[in-house]
Amino acid sequence: NYEHRNPPPQLQEPLTPQQSMLLSQFPPGFKMELFAAEPDIINPIYMNWDERGRLWVIETVDYPNTVREDKSQGDDRIKILEDTDGDGRADKSTIFADKLNIPTSFAFANGGIIVAQAPYFLYLKDTNGDDKADVKDTLITGWGTFDTHAGPSNLRYGLDNHIWGTVGYSGFQGTVGKDTLHFGQGLYRLTTNGKQLEYLSPTSNNTWGLGFTEDFDVFISTANNNHSGFFGMAKRYLDKAGINEPGVEKIDAHYAMHAVTKHLRQVDVQGGFTAAAGHSFYTARSFPPEYWNKVAFVCEPTGRVIHKQVITSDGAGFKEKGDGWNFLASADEWFGPVQAEVGPDGALWVLDWYDFIIQHNPIPEGFQNGAGNAYVNPWRDTSRGRIYRISYEDAPKTPALQLSKNDPQALVKALSNDNMFWRTTAQRLLVESGNKAVLPELYKLVRNEQLDGAGINAPAIHALWTMHGLGALDGSNKEALEVAVKALHHPAAGVRRAAIQVLPPTQATAAALLAAKVDKDPDLRVRLAFTLAATELPASKAVGQALFDMAEQKENAADKWLKQGLTIAADMQQEGFMAALKNK
């Protein structure tokens, strides 16, 4: 009875999926359908789709307190769920891997999946085509196990061809490659072979949410009154100038969470976001245009809601545009949304933990602490779970794709798909294939200067990062460099920024950046990318002069991220910057 209610909360009876859906609210024009439920799925904590559009789901009945010394003897597993008859319900279930112990997320890479299971990151792969993992390797060890809801989570493939993830206060302490690392809660990325790990930024609280826009802007959500944060700058840049500030900024515009049941059990931040989980943007085109690349879905299982997070540009960063209220809310006291993700069909898929007890800690009076640092409660359920999909009723039916490394033309075509899931999957497979024969087709995508209804050109961004992942921008391929340099003049700001990010740090690149006047770009995000690139470019009087001129402009000096970027870049380009100051 955290909130000292009188009378105290009583255990409610669980509802069937059909009964539970009747207590759900979502916007007019949408429909909610059940894809899977118990006994086919239990305690789902993470989902993702493979290149064939099949749904993979982690089930963890060991969470939160069954922490095993022998991690190979757990009761958790990863399932592949398929709808083989097209009726919208899963009718085929394959156990890809079992005997796991509290895995929290996974990402597809190199023909298999990378799984977060503290203290390890595992690599699991099926080598004989039976959809069952027969390879199980340990990539990384050192993730904290002090608290099972504070470990690594939300792994996802980034457009920079790295695996990104979040971690809570259990943190990391270990050696990866040649680096010994020790960090707490925050944001990180790793190479797909697991040989390099970079801590990108600390965060304010236990962190579970991570999401990318189609321009590859990065956002997080955390516990305890921070349901949205913008990642503006990696720690490696801030460290260059000795700036001891986080690279993540809290941007949420309101405290209140709008529940539709008064029977909440929140240990803190009562009435607000105490367990924000997920920050997935709407990155397809099946929903109405106001959702495209502007709305993120932030789950809050203690409030039984999925918040509609609306963002807007704010200089070189972003802010929440007022209070978007909810996309989904339930009066069912067992409904527990832990992930909401845009699927291959353009619909929003929702993982419902479905449990009366969501809270982890602190320990209520009269209860004991378990091995996972969660209080032991007999009401914790290990027999239920649901997966829903919410679609827009007027959306055209999206044709299903089945991508393969062995069909490069289909992969290149998928880079122009209107769903970021398929574009990112195609990019990943192209990079993994190492097939440079597709480069001419990638050049065509980058040269296409048309903008879509959201005012962006996502295929060109993916094509640039695919070129980068294939090693075509290391300086050895003249045509690839010419294509990337020309992209500095692209009408889409996201493409201009991506071009800056993928070009190698050479004198030729410095000249191209200045010739394109990216330091004066109308989009401040592009200017910021230039300042960060300048920290790694060879020392140059011309670059120093450009940075000095930028620092003289009020709109740059007044912007949080540009001010920091200029401070760091001026330090790295000190000779040219100081020469410009003397010549003023």
Side-chain angles (χ1 to χ4, degrees):
N1 190 10
Y2 291 111
E3 296 174 321
H4 306 289
R5 295 204 306 268
N6 187 17
Q10 300 297 312
L11 177 65
Q12 303 297 307
E13 291 298 318
L15 304 177
T16 66
Q18 291 72 26
Q19 291 170 329
S20 183
M21 282 193 287
L22 290 175
L23 296 181
S24 300
Q25 294 182 358
F26 44 88
F30 291 83
K31 61 180 179 180
M32 183 177 184
E33 299 170 292
L34 180 70
F35 180 74
E38 67 276 357
D40 297 324
I41 194 74
I42 297 169
N43 293 129
I45 199 170
Y46 197 77
M47 63 180 168
N48 202 347
W49 294 264
D50 64 16
E51 57 264 34
R52 294 163 56 185
R54 303 182 303 171
L55 181 66
W56 295 43
V57 185
I58 294 178
E59 292 182 325
T60 171
V61 298
D62 281 349
Y63 180 88
N65 279 325
T66 308
V67 181
R68 304 174 189 271
E69 291 188 13
D70 185 352
K71 291 288 183 179
S72 66
Q73 296 301 314
D75 284 332
D76 300 339
R77 52 195 182 179
I78 299 174
K79 279 183 175 178
I80 306 173
L81 298 179
E82 299 178 69
D83 169 19
T84 63
D85 57 12
D87 68 350
R89 289 288 300 271
D91 51 59
K92 181 181 178 181
S93 175
T94 306
I95 298 175
F96 175 74
D98 58 7
K99 296 184 179 180
L100 301 172
N101 181 226
I102 313 184
T104 54
S105 67
F106 65 91
F108 290 95
N110 302 319
I113 58 174
I114 296 174
V115 182
Q117 179 189 262
Y120 313 115
F121 273 13
L122 305 174
Y123 176 68
L124 307 181
K125 184 177 181 179
D126 162 33
T127 62
N128 59 15
D130 65 354
D131 285 332
K132 298 182 185 299
D134 45 62
V135 170
K136 184 177 181 179
D137 295 329
T138 299
L139 293 182
I140 297 174
T141 184
W143 299 98
T145 57
F146 161 69
D147 187 306
T148 53
H149 88 317
S153 64
N154 230 302
L155 299 185
R156 56 187 62 227
Y157 193 90
L159 269 63
D160 61 349
N161 303 302
H162 285 67
I163 305 298
W164 290 58
T166 58
V167 66
Y169 50 72
S170 286
F172 178 84
Q173 184 171 1
T175 300
V176 181
K178 298 179 181 179
D179 300 322
T180 299
L181 303 170
H182 185 193
F183 55 84
Q185 58 208 17
L187 182 67
Y188 55 88
R189 67 172 188 165
L190 63 144
T191 52
T192 57
N193 60 11
K195 293 183 178 181
Q196 290 180 286
L197 174 67
E198 179 184 5
Y199 184 46
L200 295 169
S201 175
T203 50
S204 62
N205 276 288
N206 213 4
T207 305
W208 305 302
L210 174 62
F212 307 138
T213 68
E214 296 176 75
D215 278 345
F216 199 32
D217 299 302
V218 181
F219 296 78
I220 60 97
S221 62
T222 80
N224 302 324
N225 194 29
N226 188 1
H227 66 267
S228 186
F230 169 65
F231 171 63
M233 191 174 298
K235 188 176 184 294
R236 67 181 180 275
Y237 295 114
L238 295 162
D239 288 348
K240 289 174 186 282
I243 299 176
N244 188 25
E245 292 186 24
V248 171
E249 179 183 24
K250 175 182 167 70
I251 64 168
D252 42 18
H254 60 98
Y255 176 96
M257 175 188 63
H258 307 292
V260 295
T261 172
K262 62 182 180 181
H263 295 148
L264 301 185
R265 289 169 297 284
Q266 294 183 290
V267 300
D268 46 27
V269 195
Q270 277 85 6
F273 290 79
T274 185
H279 203 293
S280 296
F281 280 84
Y282 188 76
T283 50
R285 297 296 180 264
S286 298
F287 283 16
E290 60 263 29
Y291 286 86
W292 299 354
N293 213 37
K294 298 175 183 176
V295 171
F297 305 100
V298 180
C299 295
E300 222 302 359
T302 71
R304 320 296 181 182
V305 303
I306 299 177
H307 175 55
K308 182 182 175 184
Q309 171 84 4
V310 184
I311 65 160
T312 186
S313 178
D314 183 29
F318 292 85
K319 61 183 178 182
E320 183 178 20
K321 188 178 180 180
D323 182 352
W325 287 67
N326 299 322
F327 183 77
L328 178 64
S330 178
D332 181 356
E333 291 188 54
W334 284 63
F335 179 68
V338 293
Q339 186 185 7
E341 202 82 27
V342 178
D345 57 353
L348 185 72
W349 292 62
V350 177
L351 280 191
D352 178 6
W353 181 260
Y354 206 75
D355 201 332
F356 186 70
I357 300 296
I358 297 293
Q359 293 80 0
H360 194 86
N361 53 28
I363 312 306
E365 184 178 349
F367 286 81
Q368 293 183 339
N369 198 2
N373 200 35
Y375 72 93
V376 178
N377 191 318
W379 288 355
R380 292 191 190 275
D381 183 80
T382 56
S383 62
R384 294 173 178 85
R386 286 91 190 261
I387 303 173
Y388 300 103
R389 57 184 298 275
I390 303 176
S391 59
Y392 188 59
E393 292 178 345
D394 293 338
K397 188 173 178 61
T398 303
L401 298 182
Q402 292 202 15
L403 301 180
S404 168
K405 285 184 187 178
N406 299 323
D407 190 352
Q409 290 306 309
L411 294 179
V412 171
K413 182 179 179 181
L415 289 178
S416 295
N417 194 281
D418 66 4
N419 188 330
M420 187 177 176
F421 165 79
W422 289 115
R423 294 195 304 273
T424 304
T425 301
Q427 173 186 325
R428 174 176 63 81
L429 294 174
L430 284 167
V431 171
E432 290 175 357
S433 74
N435 182 5
K436 295 186 179 181
V438 302
L439 287 173
E441 297 299 315
L442 300 180
Y443 302 158
K444 291 180 183 178
L445 290 176
V446 179
R447 290 172 176 142
N448 185 336
E449 296 189 346
Q450 291 183 343
L451 306 184
D452 74 358
I456 62 176
N457 186 319
I461 295 174
H462 285 274
L464 282 167
W465 281 111
T466 304
M467 291 161 57
H468 185 269
L470 288 171
L473 295 170
D474 61 2
S476 61
N477 187 317
K478 182 179 179 182
E479 186 176 7
L481 288 173
E482 289 175 349
V483 169
V485 167
K486 188 174 185 300
L488 296 171
H489 303 270
H490 199 283
V495 177
R496 299 195 299 273
R497 184 179 65 165
I500 295 172
Q501 293 169 331
V502 300
L503 281 166
T506 63
Q507 289 181 348
T509 291
L513 295 177
L514 296 177
K517 298 182 179 180
V518 294
D519 54 315
K520 301 178 178 65
D521 196 280
D523 191 300
L524 269 60
R525 295 177 304 156
V526 178
R527 297 186 201 178
L528 176 62
F530 167 69
T531 67
L532 298 181
T535 69
E536 298 173 345
L537 291 171
S540 161
K541 287 186 177 181
V543 172
Q545 180 71 56
L547 293 169
F548 180 80
D549 292 342
M550 290 180 70
E552 291 281 274
Q553 298 177 35
K554 291 183 178 180
E555 64 177 342
N556 294 332
D559 184 272
K560 168 186 170 68
W561 298 112
L562 267 174
K563 182 179 180 180
Q564 289 188 337
L566 286 166
T567 299
I568 301 164
D571 196 20
M572 298 298 102
Q573 296 282 345
Q574 190 172 126
E575 183 178 353
F577 190 90
M578 295 305 295
L581 174 63
K582 291 177 182 178
N583 293 330
K584 181 182 176 182

